[in-house]
Amino acid sequence: MNKYRTHNCNELNEKSVGKNVRLSGWLHRKRDHGNLLFLDIRDHFGITQCVIENDEKNFKVLEKLKPESVIMINGSVVKRSAETQNKELKTGLIEVRIKNFEILSEAKDLPMPVFGEQEYPEDIRLKFRFIDLRRKEMHENIKLRSEVISFIRSKMIEKNFLEFQTPILTASSPEGARDFLVPSRTHKGKFYALPQAPQQFKQMIMISGFDKYFQIAPCFRDEDGRADRSPGEHYQLDLEMSFAEQDDIFKEVEPLFYELFSKFGKGKKINKHPFPRITYNESLEKYGTDKPDLRNPIELINVTDIFKSDEVKLKIFKEIINKKGIVKAIPVKATHSKPRSFFDNLNNWAISEGASGLAYITFEKNNGKIVGKGPISKFFSEEAIKKLLKKCKINENDSVFFVCNNISDANKFAGIARQKIALELNLINNSEFNFCWIVDYPMFHYNDKEKKIDFSHNPFSMPQIDMQNFDKKDPLDILAYQYDLVCNGYELSSGAIRNHITEYLFKVFGKVGYSKEMVEKNFSGMIKALSYGAPPHGGMAPGIDRIVMLLADQINIREVTLFPMNQNAQDLLMNAPSEVDEKQLKELNIKTIKKIN
RNA sequence: GGGGGUGUAGCUCAGUUUGGUUAGAGCGCUUGCCUGUCACGCAAGAGGUCGCGGGUUCGAGUCCCGUCACUCCCGCCA
């Protein structure tokens, strides 16, 4: 017999009545009636009510014991009388009458309780994460994370992917995020880098002839945190396939996600695969972002023409249009019952977001005719109103918001406003998962600051053009076999078909100013590997943390991470980062410079 | 690196707009009472550098300046 327990705290039921049992767990909650004491004992599995009366010699000790102390109790299972049963609890039909007990570990006064659903400051939760993780919601989230990973792993193995580990200490490479560097002791003055992703390794696995690979891979990027992005490290389902085209990868991944979200999505509706494919340009045009929330029914419309014409006399917009600006309309249905304050508040919100405001027109029927209302309606001719209604596919109950700026800023802000307005109007159905692929990313974009062409995504992606015609085309018009998987406005994954032809890779890098020599130097392993027979290949890498976040219905990634760092990339529990001994630094040939303020 | 929000008891928060007696409530904690609770109940009590520093004022939790911490966002994230 196990020394600590005969049953866990979720196991006992009516059939156990009369048995002598031993339970171990945390003292969850005490209810002290003076001469009668109820103790809820909790473990990973559940809660069992235990009871003791004051004629027992142990009564006084238990009465004083602090919550969250770990105890082992011996007792007998008794049936509760009908009126004292607790239907909420799986073990609520019985209780354990305590005969004797042992305190296995005593708890001090708690910085935060485990019992209850009260919110607690995050720095305290992080500092005492081991207590926070005992709390029901966190415990469930982390359990879900484990189940999600197990599910993914078994599905991937079923699909004949092989799971491999790749190095954690590797080489720094240009492009991408800032690296975490690890100084080398044996090679003084040189550094390893933690991998931002196993990108080059997974390509080499294909080149090594393994056909399909996956890994639940840690990725390290020295970037600042966000609610949906941990600073420092995160996990990806890294996968790669040989002799695969874009559609082959989609076909492997779509059912995986469909099944995963069906199984763990708490009954939320999922759009059936194949998931819609939306081009990058179309996504920006319609949703103002490359990670659209398709639960939001609003679609942006370009109405620059209307504002350009003499039918509209709005001078500020015309000036911006003359400087290559555009006007994006955000048509919103059924706003007729909204008070003036609704529109004013949105305007104030826009200003607080750094925009100059959010212009709008509402419509109503007057003498059988639809007319525009609101501050800027006077600038519109009857004809302009007609055109607007037609183009935006709306009627007298609706309204249109306008954003006017240069193309990229107009799209970007219209995209944010689209989501804000939908949230205000409750247009987003939180009981569905809406997946789509964003495809046809541009290979390059123009970097305004540095006045040069840059990679807009992964430099190893295959351009959607023959190598022979590559130089004939404006690089900014070249698309890549590069795609994202998006769900409910979150980017879940990036992926690409890779460029497996060294000569072509040199050409591509050449466009952003890398000489052949620089590519050979910075990506020597990769170039070498591609030079001895590389299969065409591609893959992707969905973010595990974000998947679990969506499934757990959380908006903060720390809620699904066991031991996360705070926004300033500090581990408050382990005290990382920390200073190290002078001796350690000396071995590494490293001197720190004290920052002078 | 920049912008917004928050900071009052161990925790959640009120009080700050309009400066004025001894800074409050709930939960938790301590003590006492209580034999059927499951957010047990009842009573009493302890607990405060109002984030920190400076300033204005007869007087600052409240006004001003600075600063720190946390958080959200921008930048960054091939």
Side-chain angles (χ1 to χ4, degrees), chain A residues 245-256:
Chain A
E245 293 182 273
Q246 187 166 293
D247 258 8
D248 298 319
I249 291 160
F250 289 5
K251 276 177 197 152
E252 290 280 12
V253 170
E254 284 174 335
L256 174 71

Side-chain angles (χ1 to χ4, degrees), chain A residues 178-196:
Chain A
R178 275 184 292 267
D179 282 320
F180 280 103
L181 296 177
V182 180
S184 161
R185 175 182 56 81
T186 43
H187 303 274
K188 300 207 187 306
K190 293 190 175 177
F191 294 84
Y192 303 95
L194 305 183
Q196 293 182 28

